[in-house]
Amino acid sequence: MTRIYDDPAEFADDQLAGFLDLYADRVRGVHGGVVAHRGDEPQVAVVIGGGSGHYPAFCGTVGPGMAHGAVVGNIFTSPSAAQAYSVGRAADQGRGVIFSFGNYAGDVINFGIAAERLRADGIDARIVVVTDDIASAAEEERRRGIAGDFTVFKVMGAAAARGHDIDEVERLGRAANAATRTLGVAFSGCTMPGEDEPLFTVPDGHLGLGLGIHGEPGIRDVPMLPARELADLLVDDLLKAAPAGAPGRIGTILNGLGTTKYEELFLLWGHVARRLRDAGHEIVDPEVGELVTSLDMGGCSLTLMWLDDELDPLWRADAYTPAYRKASAPLAALRAPSGDELAGAEAVVTAPEAGEAARRLAGTVRDALAAVESTIREHENELGRIDAVAGDGDHGRGMLKGITAATARIADLGPEVGGGWLLQQAGQAWAERAGGTSGVLWGAALEAFGRHLGDTAESYPAGVVAAGVREFASTIEQLGGAQPGDKTLLDALLPFTDELERRVAAGEELAPAWSAAGQSATTGARDTAELRPRIGRARPLAEKSVGTPDAGATSMALIVTAVGRVLEGT
Amino acid sequence: MTRIYDDPAEFADDQLAGFLDLYADRVRGVHGGVVAHRGDEPQVAVVIGGGSGHYPAFCGTVGPGMAHGAVVGNIFTSPSAAQAYSVGRAADQGRGVIFSFGNYAGDVINFGIAAERLRADGIDARIVVVTDDIASAAEEERRRGIAGDFTVFKVMGAAAARGHDIDEVERLGRAANAATRTLGVAFSGCTMPGEDEPLFTVPDGHLGLGLGIHGEPGIRDVPMLPARELADLLVDDLLKAAPAGAPGRIGTILNGLGTTKYEELFLLWGHVARRLRDAGHEIVDPEVGELVTSLDMGGCSLTLMWLDDELDPLWRADAYTPAYRKASAPLAALRAPSGDELAGAEAVVTAPEAGEAARRLAGTVRDALAAVESTIREHENELGRIDAVAGDGDHGRGMLKGITAATARIADLGPEVGGGWLLQQAGQAWAERAGGTSGVLWGAALEAFGRHLGDTAESYPAGVVAAGVREFASTIEQLGGAQPGDKTLLDALLPFTDELERRVAAGEELAPAWSAAGQSATTGARDTAELRPRIGRARPLAEKSVGTPDAGATSMALIVTAVGRVLEGT
């Protein structure tokens, strides 16, 4: 829906005023439209136009290498002959004017009159009408002009920029039109400024094949297609309508009509490109984006211009307009990264060689992770119920996905791998599969723990393990950004870590110290019931959570307790 | 609504595949995203990213002068740490990596982990988080990142391209973020691929002030505003949130969120620019268009970056990416057209000096046009009724608007003006005011008639007038594209013209010849009742029109008859 306007009746003039302000460094407003700034060498003036509502058609493609002026009519309405005449006069650089526009009755008449008036003033004026829409008529000369406007303007703009005379620019424009075919589909109509109802509609779940850009009748409505089939339909119908003796090089536009977005067009482009190449065509400088739109209409069109040796360089040539900019120099200065340069990114990183102590540690890590998995599996539903009080209830499920991925990953690793590496791999698997913030934090923390332990130590005394737990906790603090008392897993983890460090520093063995510290985790988790979360929850949910402990702190306490039992048993 | 996809679950990967095919000349796909082709001089790698669905954020702004790589997550979802790590490694050119992204919990964590891993590999890795959305929090460091992503990326990309080291690029990125403020409004929600219902909604007739780009809560819903008031709201709130000691130069982005179209943004820009200048600010290189979107969300945001002498040249610098291209050279080579060059377009064209015969002719023209006006006024309703059978019933109204404009125009011209000029002026006024195809045709035909007669002849014998009538008829034939028998005004006009020519060629005086030929027009108009229109009417309407004469032919016959009576009286 069109939403931004003041007086709907003044929409076309008001938007043009904003455009002229924005691009005051390159265009100048004149009665009826805009003219581009000009170079020292006079050129044949290519003056394009039609109604508003089709941006970047038409004023968005005025500039070096494209058009020299654009006539700006009211929304979806031909400009008047007086407008076209005025812009033509202002754009003329003494080498004549070519008016070019899509084949609509009003435009044909008004530009025709304007050309007559220019000739009466002694200015050579020609007309090149664009007729690319294969859905609109069987006879080529009766077809409407849609996104093929762009290829024709592009060729003439490039030809004019090369200094060709008016006969030659006109001839090349006609050649471009004769070589261009477009087929479009609409998914939804568009709404004029100030109106609540769309100008036309497409039945829900259907696409209008060949529907015109102002809602003119198309070929037929068909049920909506998957992208691959839509691409096949567009390509196949266009190839059937190819000009006789068509060569294999094709300039291509996949054009969005307004509300069909870039990502959708890219996805469709993948299929279009494959289908064209499968048919033996070489795709030259494809353009995917919005070049000829219809306000907020949903849909797209595919334009093919069969290129010969004359049209090819004109299609490839540089241009610099408000909406369409193309330059060969910036790309020519670059090269693709070499395989060596990219190798680091995708190489499979192998486990470092592990010492004897690290291999013994690996056994403990495997046992501990197995115990964690079984504990989480046992408490999955309970954790879910706690989380559902003020969250989305997926904490148990997410933790189980994480630990399951972790144990599956280390099950693939052999007995030569050390415990530090196992923890790093477990952490990566956990983060990638568990999803959610807690999954990423658990994964990163395990990875940090494993990196701290490493696989080359002669032994893993209690102090090293406690320092590894501190790394685990610090990673979560730094990445998660929470503070103690924020009702997060830190409220179980930090009391545990502090107590473990204190006992180990006092000379206690790891296993009893861990189990005793585990009591602090359990107490800390239980006490979160009295807290309000300070991050990540809206106020009503925060209030609701009082009286229920934090799910992440609860699972943390369960896990350290389970690991404590493993350590006591080894 | 998002319509083009195959498997919705694969949307993000599928669209990336199409993007990589399209831009294979400048980017390379790697695990997790894309990296740009590179130059000979190694640069600090600026690696941006976030979820998909925001194109051109993020992969659309990879290229010279902007980012060196983009991490591509699933739709509206943070990429994983493994993805960010992989793209960071691939983008690194030996001078370190700066990850930059909007401030969302998932992105902060995953890019944070990736940076840790890069550092563990010996690659210097930094993080610059964008926090521009003033609606999301009072404290600057807690704000979300939205379209201000772009200004921060732009500054860092330009700084890296200048060869600065990682400390300096990071410092400038933080400075850009500290200088950037954004405020957005949403008009409508967006729909994920494969879903029928939008992800969130905005109440009808309202705008969501400060609503996040994924539907996060904003400041409040307010009734929809006219464009001028919307601009004032955005500008005023942003100026209130200006960084301390802000200078007067501002880089600006007016960003469309998806379905808010260019014309709407231009219209809004006109007001934004005025308001900013009224507040004493100098606008530097404004950008209006889609830079950070949210699928098919309706809405827009305004971003201001306060520029100091460091940021200014980096904001202005050239860039060449798939979606954002800026070059100073093409514009530097141009100049605005001079007043002299444009004068022809807008000059008031004055009447040529008229001879004695032309002045006498002017009296006849005035009498004739007055008679036409009174005849059309008399028959306005009848013509409307005839036209309503298979048309829109506005023929009488349109003709009256045309002739009234014509007589008003010539009433302003003095007695020194000749008849040829009067007809030309009458024709121009008719075409500009009457609208519709018949208005344009009548206007052009009168103008051609007047040009043929001119104002310099010694006399206007019957043969010259008859040849002028032939010009009148030929103009309509050429511009309108109809054939005799197509049930148009030609079916009255051509029999009249033929008969007038025949009688004048046989030596008859003008007045009796015209009146006799008028009978042919009347007969021709009446006989159109038996015809089916061959142009411009759908088949059901064409059938319906059989039995009713053509309105255009009927008015033509009335007019030539009225003019005949004037000629008989002179």
Side-chain angles (χ1 to χ4, degrees):
Chain A
M1 198 163 140
T2 301
R3 315 250 186 179
I4 301 179
Y5 49 83
D6 295 294
D7 177 354
E10 302 297 324
F11 183 88
D13 285 345
D14 290 349
Q15 65 89 21
L16 182 59
F19 174 87
L20 291 170
D21 178 280
L22 182 64
Y23 294 113
D25 57 347
R26 64 198 83 180
V27 295
R28 167 92 179 250
V30 296
H31 174 70
V34 309
V35 294
H37 290 188
R38 54 188 65 180
D40 290 332
E41 285 299 315
Q43 297 178 7
V44 172
V46 177
V47 175
I48 63 179
S52 292
H54 301 299
Y55 193 87
F58 295 93
C59 57
T61 54
V62 168
M66 289 281 289
H68 302 76
V71 194
V72 180
N74 216 324
I75 299 199
F76 292 0
T77 304
S78 167
S80 73
Q83 287 181 296
Y85 165 79
S86 163
V87 177
R89 275 216 59 143
D92 178 49
Q93 301 178 16
R95 299 191 62 191
V97 173
I98 302 184
F99 286 125
S100 190
F101 48 85
N103 186 27
Y104 296 91
D107 294 296
V108 170
I109 293 171
N110 283 298
F111 281 99
I113 296 167
E116 288 277 353
R117 285 193 201 155
L118 288 179
R119 286 182 210 118
D121 291 350
I123 296 173
D124 195 349
R126 313 287 176 92
I127 284 179
V128 174
V129 182
V130 183
T131 57
D132 58 314
D133 181 5
I134 64 168
S136 57
E139 311 90 314
E140 290 174 23
E141 70 281 4
R142 291 195 54 196
R143 290 174 177 165
R144 298 182 292 240
I146 48 176
D149 284 357
F150 187 88
T151 60
V152 177
F153 302 164
K154 174 76 179 69
V155 163
M156 286 199 289
R162 294 186 172 199
H164 290 309
D165 67 17
I166 193 166
D167 288 335
E168 183 70 353
V169 178
E170 180 187 5
R171 185 184 69 77
L172 289 163
R174 291 186 190 283
N177 183 56
T180 299
R181 302 286 185 277
T182 299
L183 180 58
V185 294
F187 307 137
S188 61
C190 55
T191 306
M192 303 282 274
E195 301 294 324
D196 290 326
E197 296 300 316
L199 194 60
F200 59 92
T201 58
V202 179
D204 261 1
H206 284 68
L207 57 83
L209 180 62
L211 190 90
I213 56 175
H214 316 97
E216 300 93 337
I219 297 172
R220 62 183 185 278
D221 288 338
V222 298
M224 189 65 204
L225 297 170
R228 175 181 291 269
E229 293 174 37
L230 176 57
D232 292 352
L233 173 71
L234 292 172
V235 171
D236 295 352
D237 276 17
L238 282 170
L239 292 183
K240 272 182 230 150
R249 277 171 296 166
I250 299 189
T252 312
I253 298 172
L254 182 58
N255 174 59
L257 287 175
T259 59
T260 297
K261 299 315 303 168
Y262 305 98
E263 284 94 343
E264 297 177 85
L265 296 174
F266 293 146
L267 194 154
L268 187 62
W269 172 254
H271 295 308
V272 165
R274 174 192 47 73
R275 189 91 174 175
L276 283 171
R277 294 195 191 103
D278 285 352
H281 293 280
E282 179 195 346
I283 299 167
V284 177
D285 282 15
E287 296 291 338
V288 176
E290 297 184 339
L291 292 174
V292 179
T293 65
S294 285
L295 292 173
D296 59 338
M297 185 169 166
C300 62
S301 63
L302 179 63
T303 298
L304 305 179
M305 176 164 61
W306 276 261
L307 299 172
D308 57 18
D309 291 343
E310 272 189 338
L311 295 177
D312 186 294
L314 299 170
W315 172 245
R316 293 181 195 260
D318 286 0
Y320 197 80
T321 75
Y324 177 74
R325 303 172 190 182
K326 187 171 183 175
S328 47
L331 296 181
L334 302 180
R335 61 178 174 77
S338 67
D340 276 358
E341 287 168 325
L342 295 180
E346 303 194 61
V348 176
V349 186
T350 53
E353 197 167 343
E356 184 57 33
R359 290 193 206 183
R360 276 198 307 276
L361 179 66
T364 308
V365 168
R366 287 178 195 271
D367 289 347
L369 290 176
V372 171
E373 182 177 349
S374 112
T375 291
I376 295 297
R377 193 178 297 282
E378 185 186 338
H379 293 88
E380 178 192 351
N381 291 337
E382 179 194 341
L383 292 168
R385 277 194 302 274
I386 295 173
D387 186 41
V389 172
D392 44 14
D394 66 352
H395 182 71
R397 183 87 206 119
M399 290 295 287
L400 188 59
K401 279 171 71 175
I403 183 61
T404 307
T407 54
R409 170 80 61 92
I410 66 172
D412 292 340
L413 300 173
E416 75 287 359
V417 174
W421 185 252
L422 281 190
L423 279 171
Q424 293 175 59
Q425 291 296 303
Q428 290 190 15
W430 188 315
E432 280 163 30
R433 297 297 305 281
T437 305
S438 71
V440 174
L441 293 176
W442 262 96
L446 285 175
E447 202 184 339
F449 194 178
R451 264 204 311 271
H452 176 80
L453 296 178
D455 291 308
T456 56
E458 295 284 322
S459 66
Y460 292 92
V464 168
V465 175
V469 170
R470 176 59 67 190
E471 275 297 306
F472 180 101
S474 300
T475 300
I476 288 180
E477 280 185 282
Q478 283 166 26
L479 292 175
Q483 304 290 323
D486 283 354
K487 194 166 187 160
T488 70
L489 56 80
L490 288 181
D491 294 316
L493 175 58
L494 292 179
F496 166 76
T497 307
D498 293 346
E499 183 66 13
L500 178 67
E501 272 184 346
R502 200 184 59 72
R503 287 174 177 267
V504 167
E508 210 168 315
E509 291 287 314
L510 180 64
W514 187 294
S515 291
Q519 290 298 325
S520 303
T522 303
T523 307
R526 198 188 55 213
D527 291 351
T528 59
E530 303 315 310
L531 300 173
R532 275 180 192 76
R534 279 202 294 266
I535 60 169
R537 294 276 157 84
R539 183 177 303 275
L541 293 178
E543 293 299 331
K544 194 175 164 192
S545 80
V546 175
T548 306
D550 179 61
T554 305
S555 61
M556 177 62 69
L558 289 169
I559 286 169
V560 296
T561 303
V563 173
R565 281 194 298 267
V566 169
L567 295 176
E568 297 270 15
T570 55
Chain B
M1 198 163 142
T2 302
R3 316 250 186 177
I4 300 180
Y5 50 83
D6 296 296
D7 177 354
E10 303 296 325
F11 184 87
D13 286 346
D14 290 350
Q15 65 89 21
L16 182 59
F19 174 86
L20 291 170
D21 179 282
L22 182 64
Y23 293 113
D25 57 346
R26 65 197 82 178
V27 295
R28 167 93 177 251
V30 296
H31 174 69
V34 309
V35 293
H37 289 189
R38 54 188 64 180
D40 291 332
E41 286 297 317
Q43 296 178 9
V44 172
V46 177
V47 175
I48 62 178
S52 292
H54 301 300
Y55 194 88
F58 294 92
C59 57
T61 53
V62 167
M66 289 281 287
H68 302 77
V71 194
V72 180
N74 215 325
I75 298 197
F76 291 0
T77 305
S78 168
S80 72
Q83 287 181 298
Y85 167 77
S86 163
V87 177
R89 276 215 59 140
D92 178 48
Q93 300 178 18
R95 299 192 62 192
V97 172
I98 301 183
F99 287 125
S100 191
F101 47 86
N103 186 29
Y104 296 92
D107 293 297
V108 170
I109 293 170
N110 283 297
F111 280 100
I113 296 167
E116 289 276 354
R117 287 195 198 152
L118 288 179
R119 286 183 210 117
D121 291 351
I123 296 172
D124 195 351
R126 313 286 177 92
I127 284 180
V128 174
V129 181
V130 183
T131 57
D132 58 313
D133 181 4
I134 64 168
S136 56
E139 310 91 314
E140 289 174 22
E141 69 283 2
R142 291 194 55 196
R143 289 174 177 167
R144 297 182 295 241
I146 48 176
D149 284 357
F150 187 89
T151 60
V152 177
F153 302 164
K154 174 76 179 69
V155 163
M156 286 199 288
R162 295 188 171 198
H164 290 309
D165 66 17
I166 193 166
D167 289 335
E168 182 69 355
V169 178
E170 180 188 4
R171 185 183 69 77
L172 289 163
R174 291 187 192 282
N177 183 58
T180 298
R181 301 288 186 277
T182 299
L183 179 59
V185 294
F187 308 138
S188 60
C190 55
T191 306
M192 303 282 274
E195 301 295 324
D196 289 329
E197 297 299 317
L199 193 62
F200 60 92
T201 57
V202 179
D204 261 2
H206 284 68
L207 56 83
L209 181 62
L211 190 90
I213 57 175
H214 315 99
E216 300 94 337
I219 297 172
R220 62 183 185 277
D221 290 338
V222 298
M224 189 65 204
L225 298 169
R228 175 182 291 269
E229 292 174 36
L230 176 57
D232 292 351
L233 174 71
L234 292 172
V235 170
D236 294 351
D237 277 16
L238 283 170
L239 292 183
K240 273 181 230 151
R249 279 171 293 165
I250 300 189
T252 312
I253 298 172
L254 182 59
N255 175 59
L257 286 175
T259 58
T260 296
K261 300 315 303 168
Y262 305 97
E263 284 93 343
E264 296 177 86
L265 295 174
F266 294 146
L267 194 154
L268 187 60
W269 172 254
H271 295 308
V272 165
R274 173 192 47 73
R275 190 89 173 177
L276 282 171
R277 293 195 191 103
D278 284 353
H281 294 280
E282 179 195 344
I283 299 167
V284 177
D285 281 16
E287 296 291 337
V288 176
E290 296 183 341
L291 292 174
V292 179
T293 66
S294 285
L295 292 173
D296 59 336
M297 186 169 167
C300 62
S301 63
L302 179 63
T303 298
L304 305 180
M305 177 165 61
W306 276 262
L307 300 172
D308 58 19
D309 291 344
E310 272 191 336
L311 296 176
D312 187 293
L314 299 170
W315 172 246
R316 293 179 194 261
D318 285 1
Y320 196 78
T321 75
Y324 177 74
R325 303 171 189 182
K326 184 170 184 175
S328 47
L331 297 181
L334 302 180
R335 60 177 175 77
S338 67
D340 275 1
E341 287 168 326
L342 294 179
E346 305 193 58
V348 176
V349 187
T350 51
E353 196 166 343
E356 183 58 33
R359 292 193 203 184
R360 276 198 307 275
L361 178 66
T364 307
V365 167
R366 288 178 193 271
D367 289 348
L369 290 176
V372 170
E373 180 176 351
S374 109
T375 290
I376 294 296
R377 193 178 298 282
E378 185 186 341
H379 293 89
E380 178 191 350
N381 291 336
E382 178 194 343
L383 291 169
R385 277 193 302 275
I386 295 173
D387 185 41
V389 172
D392 45 13
D394 66 353
H395 182 72
R397 183 84 207 120
M399 289 294 287
L400 188 58
K401 278 170 72 176
I403 183 62
T404 308
T407 53
R409 171 80 61 92
I410 64 173
D412 292 339
L413 300 173
E416 75 288 358
V417 174
W421 185 251
L422 281 189
L423 279 171
Q424 293 176 59
Q425 291 296 304
Q428 291 190 13
W430 189 313
E432 282 163 29
R433 296 298 306 280
T437 306
S438 71
V440 175
L441 293 175
W442 262 97
L446 285 174
E447 201 184 341
F449 194 1
R451 265 203 310 272
H452 176 82
L453 296 177
D455 291 310
T456 55
E458 295 285 317
S459 66
Y460 292 92
V464 168
V465 175
V469 170
R470 174 60 68 188
E471 275 297 306
F472 180 102
S474 299
T475 299
I476 288 180
E477 278 185 285
Q478 284 166 26
L479 292 175
Q483 304 292 323
D486 284 353
K487 193 164 186 162
T488 71
L489 58 78
L490 288 181
D491 295 315
L493 175 59
L494 292 179
F496 166 76
T497 307
D498 293 345
E499 183 66 14
L500 178 67
E501 273 187 344
R502 200 184 60 71
R503 286 175 178 267
V504 166
E508 212 168 312
E509 292 287 316
L510 179 64
W514 186 293
S515 292
Q519 290 298 323
S520 302
T522 303
T523 306
R526 197 188 57 215
D527 290 350
T528 59
E530 302 314 310
L531 299 174
R532 274 179 193 77
R534 279 201 295 265
I535 59 168
R537 294 276 158 85
R539 184 178 303 274
L541 294 178
E543 293 300 329
K544 195 176 167 192
S545 80
V546 175
T548 307
D550 179 63
T554 305
S555 61
M556 177 62 68
L558 289 168
I559 287 169
V560 296
T561 302
V563 173
R565 282 194 297 268
V566 169
L567 295 177
E568 296 271 16
T570 55

